[in-house]
Amino acid sequence: MTNTANTASTTTTDTTTTGATKADTTTSAAGTDTAGAGAAGADTATTHATSLFQPARLGTLELANRLVMAPMTRTRAAADGVPQPIMATYYAQRASAGLIIAEAATPNAVGRTYANIPAIHTAEHVAGWRRVTDAVHAAGGRMYLQLQHGGRVGHPENSGLDPVAPSPVALPEAVHTPSGPQEAVVPREMTVAEIRETVADFAAAARNAVAAGFAGVEVHAANGYLLHQFLARNTNRRTDAYGGPVENRVRFVVEVVRAVAEAVGAERVGVRVSPGVTVNGIEEGDTGEIYRALLGELAGEGLAYLHVVFADPQSPLFQEIRKTWDGVLIGNPVLGWGGPLPEDGGRSAGERLLAAGVDLVSYGRGFLANPDLVERLRTGAPLNPVRGGLMYASGAEGYTDYPVLAAG
């Protein structure tokens, strides 16, 4: 299953070094962040950023601000998963974000979710992504790549293969394919050998991502895809070492993260989680126990960051996560699922997260429709609305044709 592209040493614009450094949150008298060495593990309860526009550090990356472009599937890759030139234009337009986390790329063929999503398991994929990272670096940006295996969220018409999952439990909704929505098929339960192969595939994909010029990778353990399926009680009905009690259900995620960290360095690896989120038919069942166990395994690994989807500063679980996780925490604010963005574009929600101890704040739809979101939030300028129906289309419309503010 593993298909590793040529990962010969490649010089990249973004560089990291051993030892994850917490995003620096110490503010000088002039109100500018100082990149103090040895900031790892800083107490975010007492020293945290007060502005989305303060610079920050992520490992050795100097970030111009604390705004992160969240990964968003846009289906503009070629049929074989190779990123197309228009994707380089799209991401370079948004390079003013402190950090871009590029859309989910699959680590192997069977992990493909939908048609025309990118991948990162062949030399051609690496070359395609290199065009994207070169464009972003030339525009002054910093970039990670999200690694995602769809698990049961897939279809033979999309991948040419039967989906695999922790257990043979079908997705309770249709799957989009080139010929239209299709009823989800029952996935095949992964064998232990296949689990080990998939762990190796993630590690190989991480090496490919670094060879393609990314500063690091984000392991996608959220939103109902394969890793989340192993965490959730309704999709993981195994009776072996990967199922049953939460200590077993977190095992696959931990093995993937550790393998990826060993492959490229822990300081290059982030993890995305979505506690309590029920998208793609997920019912975790014991959410608090899951994330206590997971973070108990990962908190001491020296990872680049933890990225929490729909982070609510009033949630007791979020507050517990902030106390437990002593590294960089990225919060994705709750801005409404599918509805219009708030009038301020989510700035106040982001500032509330900063006040609650988050180091960086990720935005999705705001960046999608506003290449210059950073400047719009900074100045209070109105946002372009997202044009419906073009999220998963093809071509430039609704992708690279959103206007920016007039200069001056």
Side-chain angles (χ1 to χ4, degrees), residues 35-54:
D43 182 5
T44 56
T46 57
T47 59
H48 53 76
T50 58
S51 170
L52 295 168
F53 312 104
Q54 288 176 293

Side-chain angles (χ1 to χ4, degrees), residues 210-228:
V210 172
F214 288 97
V217 296
E218 177 177 277
V219 175
H220 195 5
N223 294 352
Y225 297 105
L226 180 65
L227 274 66
H228 200 185

Side-chain angles (χ1 to χ4, degrees), residues 67 215 306 312 404:
L67 294 160
L306 180 70
D312 178 2
V404 299

